[in-house]
């Protein structure tokens, strides 16, 4: 993480590259998902918190689009009609195109981006970028979008132009996250509820940036679609995998191919775990949430097969070191493990995990602290 915050860093970059001050700045947070993995695109609930790591987009009206970022050298010029380039600026082009589709027309903009959200760590750096860009650029065009429209623009930019068929969790929490709260978002009904979450979490980076994440993720989506088609033959009228009742699992196990039945079991049990976790947080029993995290990790490892050795080792070390709960968070196949521990033990637990991990893998994993923070905002 840069020593100065992303707001100052982006401001300085803007001045350096474009020779003037930005007209508007907006920021949005990365997120960590407490529970509810791979449930959003299966019509189920998720329970993320917005983090105090943020992406800031600074912008000024211009003719044509020029984009700069603290993560990559140089300035990219883009035309919004052109094809995606498999480049970070695709997310910005996607946002401009989606705004245009809503009638928010921009002739052009100079944009500088800075971020404290680590890219590719499973903390949703892409939604932090698309949401902050949607807020900055719509404001620049003189149009205030509703929070729901911001989610939509950001989600469409990612799924359409940038081409990742993600669910709506990341964009939703980047807009609706609040300090001291987790966000229960039901992707099936679109309902959102804030749930008290005062604790500090530790995030341990597995260090793995799986090059094929988009491919693995898409592969799981296709499996889930196929599983839904087959479950519909057994349960007429079924809308989504998250709606499959727990009592139907033994039959699904008998009738579906083994792999697909395991994917369904993950979605169904994970849906139940989110509901239980929300209940525990509401009743002021955060310690019960920890066990649900451990169970969630086992389910990712065994049934959804989206974990990796590094994450499994971190979770095992967390258990041994007295953490209340731990699991791989985000899309999977690498990225970050979230650890829940008491205030008193958190630093010791994190240090033990680092030591144990270093013994096994020969490197010390990075640890971040995170707390539930606010969603998108205009900085000025
Ligand atoms: C990524 C996607 C989300 C969600 C998670 C897995 O973060 O962007 O929509 O599907 O993976 O839970």
């Amino acid at each position: 993480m840069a020593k100065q915050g992303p707001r100052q860093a982006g401001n300085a970059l803007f001045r350096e590259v474009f020779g003037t001050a930005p007209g508007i700045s907006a920021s949005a947070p990365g997120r960590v998902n407490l529970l509810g993995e791979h449930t959003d695109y299966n019509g189920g609930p998720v329970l993320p918190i917005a983090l105090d790591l943020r992406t800031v987009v600074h912008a000024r009206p211009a003719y044509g689009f020029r984009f700069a970022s603290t993560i990559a050298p140089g300035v990219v010029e883009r035309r919004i009609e052109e094809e995606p380039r498999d480049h970070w600026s695709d997310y910005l082009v996607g946002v401009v195109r989606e705004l245009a589709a809503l009638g928010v027309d921009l002739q052009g903009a100079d944009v500088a981006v800075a971020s404290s959200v680590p890219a590719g760590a499973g903390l949703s750096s892409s939604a932090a970028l698309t949401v902050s860009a949607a807020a900055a650029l719509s404001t620049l065009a003189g149009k205030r979008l509703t929070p729901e429209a911001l989610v939509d623009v950001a989600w469409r930019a990612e799924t359409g132009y940038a081409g990742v068929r993600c669910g709506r969790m990341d964009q939703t929490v980047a807009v609706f996250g609040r300090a001291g709260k987790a966000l229960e978002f039901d992707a099936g009904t679109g309902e959102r509820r804030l749930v008290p979450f005062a604790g500090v979490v530790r995030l341990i980076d597995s260090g793995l940036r799986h090059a094929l994440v988009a491919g693995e993720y898409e592969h799981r989506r296709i499996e889930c679609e196929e599983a839904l088609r087959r479950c519909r033959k057994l349960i007429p009228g079924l809308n989504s995998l998250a709606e499959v009742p727990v009592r139907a699992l033994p039959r699904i196990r008998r009738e579906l191919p083994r792999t697909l039945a395991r994917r369904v079991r993950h979605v169904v049990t994970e849906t139940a775990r989110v509901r239980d976790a929300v209940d525990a947080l509401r009743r002021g029993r955060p310690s019960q949430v920890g066990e649900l995290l451990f169970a969630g990790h086992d389910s990712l490892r065994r049934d959804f097969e989206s974990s990796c050795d590094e994450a499994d080792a971190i979770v095992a070390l967390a258990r041994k070191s007295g953490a209340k709960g731990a699991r791989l968070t985000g899309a999977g196949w690498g990225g970050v493990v979230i650890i829940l521990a008491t205030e008193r033990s958190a630093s010791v637990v994190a240090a033990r995990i680092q030591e144990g991990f270093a013994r096994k893998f020969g490197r010390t994993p990075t640890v971040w602290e995170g707390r539930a923070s606010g969603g998108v905002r205009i900085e000025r």
Side-chain angles (χ1 to χ4, degrees):
M1 214 195 297
K3 276 199 203 78
Q4 55 179 352
R7 211 172 133 188
Q8 294 86 339
N11 226 308
L13 178 70
F14 196 98
R15 285 167 189 274
E16 183 193 316
V17 173
F18 303 116
T20 174
I24 187 98
S25 309
S27 73
R31 63 99 187 90
V32 64
N33 190 16
L34 296 177
L35 208 53
E37 221 63 85
H38 297 278
T39 44
D40 61 353
Y41 59 83
N42 284 306
V46 293
L47 188 61
I49 59 175
L51 288 170
D52 42 358
L53 302 168
R54 301 184 78 85
T55 294
V56 188
V57 167
H58 302 273
R60 202 179 172 87
Y63 289 100
F65 292 92
R66 295 190 297 175
F67 302 135
S69 159
T70 52
I71 58 160
V75 181
V76 213
E77 287 190 33
R78 300 287 307 253
R79 284 179 307 108
I80 70 164
E81 310 78 32
E82 75 187 52
E83 294 293 305
R85 288 187 195 170
D86 204 9
H87 185 263
W88 70 266
S89 60
D90 286 352
Y91 290 104
L92 295 178
V93 177
V95 167
V96 173
R97 289 164 71 111
E98 290 307 327
L99 288 174
L102 287 183
V104 183
D105 267 321
L106 277 168
Q107 296 264 0
D110 287 339
V111 174
V113 179
S115 183
S116 54
V117 187
L123 298 177
S124 187
S125 55
S126 56
L129 176 57
T130 50
V131 168
S132 53
L137 296 175
S138 57
T139 310
L140 202 64
K143 177 117 182 176
R144 240 194 139 75
L145 296 182
T146 61
E148 285 79 6
L150 279 180
V151 172
D152 224 54
V153 165
W155 181 75
R156 283 173 194 278
E158 262 190 75
T159 50
Y161 192 72
V164 180
R165 257 191 343 137
C166 58
R168 299 176 80 98
M169 161 168 70
D170 304 344
Q171 300 77 16
T172 303
V173 68
V175 170
F176 291 102
R178 293 290 174 271
K181 310 277 184 197
L183 180 73
E184 181 193 13
F185 168 56
D186 194 315
T189 62
E191 278 175 86
R192 297 179 308 267
R193 278 176 294 264
L194 292 169
V195 187
F197 187 81
V200 177
V201 298
R202 292 292 195 285
L203 307 169
I204 313 230
D205 191 354
S206 71
L208 231 65
R209 304 285 182 268
H210 206 295
L212 294 177
V213 163
E216 305 276 17
Y217 185 86
E218 177 63 20
H219 187 209
R220 285 297 175 280
R221 286 211 60 156
I222 293 168
E223 286 177 339
C224 289
E225 284 160 2
E226 176 60 19
L228 178 61
R229 261 192 296 279
R230 289 172 186 248
C231 287
R232 275 190 176 135
K233 293 196 183 127
L234 309 177
I235 309 169
L238 189 71
N239 290 308
S240 68
L241 287 186
E243 275 182 15
V244 170
V246 176
R247 64 170 189 281
L249 287 178
R251 180 156 178 228
I252 285 170
R253 192 163 166 210
R254 285 195 305 274
E255 311 250 345
L256 261 62
R258 225 172 118 226
T259 304
L260 294 187
R262 289 210 305 250
R263 306 297 186 246
V264 178
R265 185 166 62 184
H266 167 73
V267 173
V268 171
T269 58
E270 185 81 347
T271 294
R273 280 187 289 272
V274 175
R275 310 247 189 260
D276 289 350
V278 167
D279 209 49
L281 288 175
R282 285 240 162 78
R283 288 166 193 268
R285 296 189 185 133
S287 57
Q288 289 177 2
V289 179
E291 274 309 315
L292 293 165
L293 260 66
F294 281 131
H297 185 80
D298 282 345
S299 180
L300 289 175
R301 184 172 56 76
R302 275 199 325 254
D303 285 346
F304 214 69
E305 293 177 282
S306 56
S307 187
C308 57
D309 290 347
E310 287 80 351
D312 294 345
I314 294 171
V315 172
L317 285 161
R319 218 185 241 285
K320 236 174 73 186
S321 313
K324 283 193 289 186
R327 68 174 200 91
L328 178 61
T329 178
W333 299 281
V336 159
V337 173
I338 179 172
I339 308 282
L340 296 186
T342 58
E343 289 282 345
R344 229 156 38 93
S345 67
S347 306
V348 177
V349 167
R352 282 196 190 140
I353 295 170
Q354 282 182 308
E355 276 164 35
F357 188 96
R359 265 199 302 278
K360 193 163 167 137
F361 296 100
R363 59 188 166 83
T364 303
T366 308
V367 177
W368 292 282
E369 254 184 49
R371 64 189 73 242
S373 303
V376 65
R377 62 177 183 245
I378 299 295
E379 297 283 346
R380 66 150 183 226

